[in-house]
């Protein structure tokens, strides 16, 4: 693993090495980025939003207020305008084992949706958000979906509301590889449901929440302006993936990993070796897709107009990156993940960094 270098703070702005790297042009096989001119809007230096987070996993915005989940503590935090964290609540049913715990968050119409590991598996709950910013609280929980298989690893965990108003959730194979190909199982899937957990009438498999299958451990979902859905996925030993998600699509795991060109399976649009990637959260802004990478310790930028290309940001000093989201002011917020037991935490970890597009 690349040795992590301590980030210095000068006037509240992080001096992060190699904020904008060269286009990747490696010999990692078909579908890997090629060297072409940059298409993305440039970003300013990485500014510090907050520090001292413990194994944070997800960021969502309820209006202008940022909410953050901590995987192991089960805490949900709100951030003041100056970045000061305040505990909104602790999700008592959370059981933090291995990669499980309090994972994805999604705020929607005055409620907070959360994906977490409990004693009986993974589940999705929603709770009303009460009070005003600076004093937010959580109301009584309602189960949206339970019975999602859990394990020490491969729990998926990302939640997001699509442009269609439906709730999407990523689930890992929970160490049961073959379940990813079983359309009757909830593991190894991307699920699509109504906000209360019902099956939408236009889902690709009648009566089923399964939107796509054959996934190993997808952890990022986002939509382009034209409605195209993208997802990031952890591979095993060979290829991590960026996929375009089609309703009812089979993405191959465990029969295939990466670009296999096998009939019946959908190939990723890009692939990277795991030591350069391990992609978790993704976000789309300004015609670019951003991937937060854990083991690869970088923020990768894929221009949607040329999805075979990519560039790299935050290549030195930030360490493991778990999530990236677009804030209400169109800046990018990036969540580090150095305190999750696999990183090399610095004195101020974990942190949120903000990258603001240049005018």
């Amino acid at each position: 693993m690349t040795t992590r270098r301590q980030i210095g703070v000068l006037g509240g702005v992080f001096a992060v090495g190699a904020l904008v790297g060269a286009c990747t042009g490696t010999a990692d096989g078909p579908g890997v980025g090629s060297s072409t001119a940059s298409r993305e809007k440039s970003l300013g230096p990485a500014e510090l939003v907050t520090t001292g987070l413990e194994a944070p996993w997800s960021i969502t915005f309820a209006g202008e207020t940022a909410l953050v989940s901590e995987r192991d503590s089960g805490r949900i935090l709100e951030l003041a305008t100056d970045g000061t964290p305040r505990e909104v609540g602790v999700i008592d049913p959370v059981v933090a084992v291995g990669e499980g715990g309090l994972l994805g968050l999604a705020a929607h119409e005055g409620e907070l949706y959360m994906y977490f590991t409990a004693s009986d598996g993974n589940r999705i709950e929603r709770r009303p958000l009460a009070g005003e910013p600076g004093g937010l609280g959580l109301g009584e929980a309602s189960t949206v979906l339970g019975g999602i298989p859990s394990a020490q690893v491969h729990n998926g965990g990302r939640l997001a509301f699509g442009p269609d108003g439906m709730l999407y959730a990523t689930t890992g194979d929970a160490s049961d590889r073959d379940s990813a190909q079983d359309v009757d199982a909830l593991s190894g899937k991307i699920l699509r449901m109504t906000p209360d957990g019902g099956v939408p009438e236009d889902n690709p498999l009648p009566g089923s929440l399964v939107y796509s299958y054959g996934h190993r451990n997808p952890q990022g979902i986002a939509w382009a302006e034209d409605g195209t859905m993208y997802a990031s996925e952890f591979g095993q030993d060979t290829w991590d993936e960026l996929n375009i998600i089609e309703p009812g699509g089979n993405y191959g795991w465990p029969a295939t990993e990466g670009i296999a060109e096998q009939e019946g399976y959908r190939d990723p649009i890009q692939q990277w070796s795991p030591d350069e990637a391990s992609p978790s959260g993704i976000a789309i802004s300004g015609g670019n897709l951003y991937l937060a990478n854990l083991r690869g310790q970088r923020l990768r930028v894929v221009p949607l107009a040329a999805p075979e290309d990519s560039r790299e940001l935050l290549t030195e000093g930030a360490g493991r990156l778990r999530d990236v989201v677009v804030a209400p002011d169109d800046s990018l917020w990036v969540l580090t993940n150095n305190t999750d037991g696999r990183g090399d935490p610095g004195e101020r970890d974990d942190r949120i960094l903000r990258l603001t597009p240049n005018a």
Side-chain angles (χ1 to χ4, degrees):
M1 179 176 294
T2 302
T3 301
R4 184 186 175 280
R5 300 197 307 181
Q6 182 68 30
I7 295 178
V9 182
L10 299 173
V13 178
F14 276 84
V16 181
L19 265 180
V20 180
C23 291
T24 59
T26 64
D28 284 345
V32 176
S34 59
S35 297
T36 61
S38 171
R39 292 170 173 84
E40 71 267 11
K41 193 172 185 178
S42 63
L43 296 168
E47 302 172 313
L48 177 66
V49 175
T50 194
T51 64
L53 304 176
E54 300 176 8
W57 211 91
S58 178
I59 307 171
T60 190
F61 283 89
E64 301 289 322
T65 302
L67 298 170
V68 182
S69 63
E70 289 186 337
R71 185 192 69 187
D72 297 344
S73 70
R75 295 196 305 166
I76 293 174
L77 307 174
E78 68 168 315
L79 301 184
T81 54
D82 65 357
T84 301
R86 172 189 168 273
E87 185 178 295
V88 174
V90 178
I91 309 305
D92 290 332
V94 167
V95 176
V97 178
E99 295 176 0
L102 179 57
L103 305 178
L105 300 179
H108 180 71
E109 296 185 348
E111 294 189 297
L112 184 63
Y113 290 71
M114 57 202 72
Y115 184 118
F116 62 87
T117 309
S119 59
D120 57 352
N122 290 316
R123 74 172 75 156
I124 301 169
E125 286 187 355
R126 61 178 179 176
R127 301 183 184 218
L129 283 167
E132 300 297 326
L136 289 177
L138 297 174
E140 186 176 352
S142 299
T143 299
V144 177
L145 179 65
I148 303 170
S150 64
Q152 287 268 350
V153 294
H154 305 175
N155 289 289
R158 194 67 60 188
L159 295 178
F161 279 87
D164 55 6
M166 297 293 118
L167 175 63
Y168 292 75
T170 70
T171 69
D173 68 10
S175 298
D176 181 1
R177 295 158 53 105
D178 292 340
S179 71
Q181 289 293 320
D182 181 359
V183 295
D184 293 324
L186 294 178
S187 47
K189 309 295 189 296
I190 294 177
L191 307 178
R192 177 178 184 258
M193 66 199 79
T194 65
D196 62 2
V199 179
E201 292 183 358
D202 59 347
N203 266 11
L205 302 178
S208 172
L209 295 175
V210 173
Y211 192 69
S212 62
Y213 62 106
H215 298 290
R216 181 176 181 268
N217 194 19
Q219 284 194 1
I221 45 178
W223 290 263
E225 289 185 0
D226 64 1
T228 301
M229 183 180 180
Y230 294 83
S232 61
E233 183 163 341
F234 289 99
Q236 186 172 18
D237 300 318
T238 308
W239 299 118
D240 290 336
E241 301 176 357
L242 175 63
N243 288 293
I244 290 177
I245 301 300
E246 298 289 347
N250 183 347
Y251 290 81
W253 179 254
T256 66
E257 179 183 355
I259 297 172
E261 298 181 338
Q262 290 190 25
E263 186 176 355
Y265 302 128
R266 295 187 179 273
D267 282 340
I269 58 172
Q270 278 217 54
Q271 61 185 20
W272 299 275
S273 61
D275 62 345
E276 295 181 345
S278 299
S280 189
I282 66 175
I284 292 175
S285 178
N288 301 308
L289 186 145
Y290 297 86
L291 299 97
N293 291 278
L294 291 161
R295 187 176 171 189
Q297 300 191 7
R298 68 198 74 185
L299 183 67
R300 186 168 272 114
V301 188
V302 175
L304 297 183
E308 71 280 2
D309 296 340
S310 67
R311 289 177 65 84
E312 297 171 358
L313 312 180
L314 299 176
T315 56
E316 297 179 14
R320 291 163 57 83
L321 306 180
R322 173 64 74 179
D323 200 10
V324 55
V325 299
V326 181
D329 64 359
D330 292 328
S331 63
L332 288 176
W333 285 33
V334 181
L335 184 64
T336 73
N337 204 197
N338 297 309
T339 59
D340 71 342
R342 294 183 176 178
D344 181 17
E347 182 179 354
R348 299 169 66 87
D349 279 333
D350 266 310
R351 295 152 289 147
I352 296 175
L353 306 176
R354 176 172 50 223
L355 300 171
T356 303
N358 291 320

